[in-house]
Amino acid sequence: MSIFRSLVASLLLLCLSSVAMAAPQRVKLTYEATRNGQPFATVNETYRQEGSRYRIESVTKGIGVYALFGERRLTSEGEVTAQGLKPEHFELHQGDNEKRSLYTDFDWANNLLKMKVKGKLNSVPLVAGAQDISSFVYQFMFVAPSGSELILPVTTGKKLRTYHYHIDAKDELMEVGAGKFKVMHLSEAVQDEDGKELWLAVEHHHLPVKLRMIDDKGSKIEQVLTHIHIE
């Protein structure tokens, strides 16, 4: 039995090593964000993997009058597994307004997603493969979308939602500030206020080249890649 367990453990470690080696260890992305076609912010994102641990940080800095709202900072950290990213903790902060901060813990041992909003804790059943709004696009580095649709459970920090996408195209060409990319286009199968339309770089680990969403005021928000660095 001990030999069998050792063999299983070795196979699991080999699988994890293969996944980890295939994906980048460091990623830096910069986006220009626009609202209804007008620039309003710069988004800087970093992904770092150290051994079997990862950390993602996203910082949005407003331009002009939007700078008065303060930085929007998101962080996600957790484990890199044979299935990709397994978040353990997520935070969202908007400027110095603590009332707008969100804290989320993924309690995998007890299958609970614990979300703290305005100081109040809300726990819901944790779905296998669940991601947060920072980690879910980096999960594509490990498990690329395939077939004709994608269904993924994602927490916004306030609730756990199911993102449902149609995979409309897999080899479109898109030219942005960061260069020319072959992209995969994912469109929402069901429109909701939290979903995003995505264009992923097929030959660059399926990292996002462009994101589009409609905010709660009906404005069209877009993020377009202006700089990419991968190690």
Side-chain angles (χ1 to χ4, degrees), residues 40-216:
F40 78 94
T42 299
V43 183
N44 288 290
E45 296 196 352
T46 58
Y47 168 90
R48 294 184 177 88
Q49 181 181 330
E50 298 287 347
S52 63
R53 304 292 300 174
Y54 82 87
R55 179 179 173 85
I56 299 166
E57 185 171 19
S58 175
V59 180
T60 301
K61 296 183 178 181
I63 298 171
V65 66
Y66 294 104
L68 299 176
F69 295 100
E71 294 182 356
R72 183 174 186 262
R73 185 179 299 270
L74 290 75
T75 58
S76 173
E77 54 188 5
E79 184 181 3
V80 180
T81 73
Q83 291 75 42
L85 301 183
K86 188 176 184 180
E88 294 175 358
H89 184 73
F90 167 77
E91 292 187 13
L92 183 155
H93 301 278
Q94 180 65 59
D96 298 325
N97 189 346
E98 181 61 24
K99 291 182 179 179
R100 299 184 65 181
S101 294
L102 305 174
Y103 302 88
T104 301
D105 288 304
F106 293 72
D107 184 352
W108 295 104
N110 296 300
N111 290 319
L112 286 175
L113 184 67
K114 302 175 180 178
M115 296 169 286
K116 187 177 180 182
V117 183
K118 295 182 179 180
K120 295 182 179 180
L121 183 64
N122 178 33
S123 295
V124 299
L126 184 54
V127 180
Q131 300 291 325
D132 57 61
I133 55 174
S134 281
S135 68
F136 91 97
V137 292
Y138 291 91
Q139 170 68 356
F140 298 144
M141 297 193 302
F142 300 88
V143 183
S146 60
S148 60
E149 65 177 8
L150 169 70
I151 298 176
L152 185 67
V154 179
T155 178
T156 64
K158 293 182 179 180
K159 60 186 76 174
L160 181 64
R161 304 191 67 90
T162 299
Y163 284 4
H164 185 185
Y165 290 104
H166 288 310
I167 302 177
D168 297 323
K170 300 181 181 180
D171 57 357
E172 292 182 350
L173 289 178
M174 175 175 286
E175 187 167 4
V176 295
K180 185 178 292 186
F181 298 88
K182 182 183 292 186
V183 297
M184 172 185 293
H185 181 211
L186 276 59
S187 64
E188 295 177 85
V190 179
Q191 298 288 325
D192 66 49
E193 70 275 16
D194 296 316
K196 295 180 176 68
E197 190 173 2
L198 306 170
W199 287 262
L200 309 177
V202 176
E203 297 172 340
H204 294 76
H205 305 282
H206 292 86
L207 291 165
V209 172
K210 182 177 178 180
L211 302 90
R212 176 187 292 159
M213 64 177 291
I214 305 298
D215 68 12
D216 55 3

